[in-house]
């Protein structure tokens, strides 16, 4: 019974941690976004995965602008 005075502190700590976690999830840049949205394979010919267009994890993901960035750097253009 000696631990009872610590209970309010524990509840307040849990409430604050939960509020921070909920805020972070709601404000995250990745909220409601899928990898396929900016993947260069996001079309019927290049990707046959069942996850498309709502993949949240994919080992085949390649950024759509990656080729353009490589082409720019190989042409001597730097950002
Ligand atoms: S390769 Fe992966 S991320 Fe890209 S379109 Fe297909 S499922 Fe989506």
């Amino acid at each position: 019974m000696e631990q009872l005075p610590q209970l309010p502190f524990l509840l307040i700590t849990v409430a604050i941690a939960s509020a921070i976690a909920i805020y972070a999830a709601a404000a995250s840049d990745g909220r409601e976004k899928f990898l396929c949205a900016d993947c260069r394979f996001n079309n019927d010919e290049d990707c046959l995965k069942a996850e498309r267009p709502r993949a949240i994890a994919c080992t085949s993901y390649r950024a759509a602008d990656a080729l353009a960035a490589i082409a720019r750097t190989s042409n001597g253009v730097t950002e």
Side-chain angles (χ1 to χ4, degrees):
M1 297 302 283
E2 294 181 13
Q3 295 181 354
L4 194 56
Q6 296 175 355
L7 186 60
F9 176 75
L10 177 63
L11 292 176
I12 290 170
T13 303
V14 169
I16 291 172
S18 298
I20 291 171
I22 291 169
Y23 172 77
S28 168
D29 285 341
R31 179 176 49 112
E32 298 179 11
K33 292 185 179 177
F34 300 100
L35 285 175
C36 303
D38 66 339
C39 177
R40 68 175 162 153
F41 301 129
N42 190 15
N43 62 66
D44 291 340
E45 291 181 9
D46 295 336
C47 180
L48 301 177
K49 293 182 178 257
E51 297 90 338
R52 192 178 73 85
R54 295 184 179 151
I56 55 174
C58 180
T59 56
S60 300
Y61 168 82
R62 297 295 180 273
D65 59 352
L67 284 179
I70 292 170
R72 281 194 304 269
T73 56
S74 66
N75 291 333
V77 177
T78 57
E79 296 177 11

